Amino acid sequence: MIMSEPVSSGGAAVMTGVLGVASLLPGINAAVLFGAFAGGVVFVLSAREMGWAERAVYLLISILVGVLCAHMVAGVIDSLLPQAVEVPDAAGALVSAAVAVRGLQWAIRRAQDPEALIKGVGNGRDA
């Protein structure tokens, strides 16, 4: 018998409640909030080298960036696709939330090595 992990089950229940309450606040699009949450979950589930506390902080950052950048990222995706395709803000929230933390981690790694900033991007250690 396979049992779910209590931390992940409890965390999912808490986040579902938080998303439900937050979607009732005026000015917050529920679809964008759910897209940002889904993008954050994609990152959290793929980041196995981190502890739960660090994952939770990155999840919150990811959701915040996803909600704030949803319209802009949806516009960028929309400009790359044919005219007949319309990209909703929820898709922009999902993409921006999934990419935000990886970009933040990249910037932190770059800032920890000031010589790499001076030498430029082509030093082979950007991956």
Side-chain angles (χ1 to χ4, degrees):
M1 175 190 276
I2 298 174
M3 296 180 61
S4 66
E5 190 175 336
V7 174
S8 62
S9 299
V14 169
M15 284 308 295
T16 302
V18 169
L19 288 175
V21 170
S23 67
L24 297 175
L25 296 173
I28 295 179
N29 184 343
V32 169
L33 186 62
F34 184 73
F37 175 72
V41 167
V42 166
F43 168 77
V44 167
L45 292 177
S46 67
R48 301 219 181 258
E49 69 277 356
M50 294 181 200
W52 282 105
E54 192 174 4
R55 285 186 195 186
V57 170
Y58 278 131
L59 176 65
L60 293 175
I61 292 169
S62 184
I63 291 172
L64 180 66
V65 170
V67 169
L68 294 176
C69 297
H71 186 70
M72 179 188 68
V73 173
V76 170
I77 295 170
D78 195 32
S79 69
L80 298 173
L81 295 175
Q83 293 295 328
V85 178
E86 184 176 330
V87 178
D89 286 349
L94 183 127
V95 171
S96 61
V99 172
V101 176
R102 291 291 180 196
L104 179 62
Q105 288 177 329
W106 175 82
I108 290 170
R109 280 194 312 270
R110 296 286 296 186
Q112 290 175 347
D113 188 7
E115 289 182 15
L117 291 173
I118 295 169
K119 292 178 186 176
V121 177
N123 60 8
R125 295 188 307 187
D126 293 337

